């Protein structure tokens, strides 16, 4: 559901639930408020960015040659 919410640019909950293939009750059960859904989406994005940063740290800097 996080990914669906991000891709839909923050639509209403019914649209997020429909696009994620779940009912609106399931969406509200997992995320009782818009804030809780937004928090989950942003947390997911920050973790993905941190993971990518770690991957890039392992790559040698081409300007240091």
């Amino acid at each position: 559901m996080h990914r669906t919410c991000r891709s839909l640019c923050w639509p209403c909950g019914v649209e997020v639930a429909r696009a994620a293939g779940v009912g609106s009750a399931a969406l509200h059960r997992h995320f009782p408020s818009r804030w809780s859904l937004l928090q989950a989406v942003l947390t997911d994005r920050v973790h993905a960015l941190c993971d990518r940063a770690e991957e890039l740290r392992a790559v040698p800097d081409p300007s240091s040659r």
Side-chain angles (χ1 to χ4, degrees):
M1 284 187 268
H2 300 173
R3 193 172 302 124
T4 300
C5 184
R6 276 199 320 266
S7 69
L8 292 174
C9 300
W10 200 246
C12 72
V14 174
E15 292 173 24
V16 172
R18 186 179 305 125
V22 299
S24 61
L27 178 73
H28 292 290
R29 191 170 35 256
H30 291 282
F31 306 103
S33 68
R34 286 185 129 206
W35 170 246
S36 63
L37 178 58
L38 177 61
Q39 186 177 17
V41 169
L42 293 176
T43 298
D44 187 53
R45 288 301 298 152
V46 168
H47 286 210
L49 289 170
C50 289
D51 291 345
R52 182 65 178 139
E54 287 298 318
E55 291 171 8
L56 292 174
R57 278 181 27 156
V59 176
D61 184 2
S63 66
S64 64
R65 291 182 186 183

